[in-house]
Amino acid sequence: MPPFLLLRADASTAIGVGHVMRSLALAQAWQDQGGAVAFVCAPLPEKVARRLQTEGCAIHFLPADVSAERDLIHTLGAARSHGAEW
């Protein structure tokens, strides 16, 4: 079984959804090989969050105005909680 994959990506009405959708394509390929995936994201538009969940991805939401340092701490915490290697 492939190691757990954690993806850090954001989407919003201001920046668009391309980063998350490209990351979802990677997540789907990972899942096709039997792996599990979680995303770490700033708050997402509801439709985008539902799409990730429909595709079997867990989501860890960051606080809306998180600093870069706190972003890293939250992301590392999510990686540790899943035992993510990638």
Side-chain angles (χ1 to χ4, degrees), residues 6-12 15-24 26 38-45 48 52 59-62 71 75:
L6 185 78
L7 296 163
R8 174 68 184 89
D10 290 323
S12 71
I15 65 171
V17 299
H19 187 206
V20 169
M21 291 296 106
R22 287 186 299 276
S23 296
L24 178 57
L26 293 171
F39 279 77
V40 175
C41 305
L44 296 170
V48 176
L52 295 179
I59 306 172
H60 296 271
F61 289 107
L62 299 170
D71 183 323
T75 302

Side-chain angles (χ1 to χ4, degrees), residues 4-80:
F4 196 95
L5 175 64
L6 185 78
L7 296 163
R8 174 68 184 89
D10 290 323
S12 71
T13 55
I15 65 171
V17 299
H19 187 206
V20 169
M21 291 296 106
R22 287 186 299 276
S23 296
L24 178 57
L26 293 171
Q28 291 166 327
W30 194 265
Q31 290 169 324
D32 288 346
Q33 298 301 313
V37 179
F39 279 77
V40 175
C41 305
L44 296 170
E46 186 177 329
K47 287 182 180 182
V48 176
R50 269 199 318 264
R51 174 70 189 274
L52 295 179
Q53 291 168 332
T54 298
E55 295 293 334
C57 299
I59 306 172
H60 296 271
F61 289 107
L62 299 170
D65 58 349
V66 69
S67 68
E69 181 180 329
R70 297 299 302 168
D71 183 323
L72 176 61
I73 291 167
H74 284 281
T75 302
L76 289 173
R80 286 186 192 109

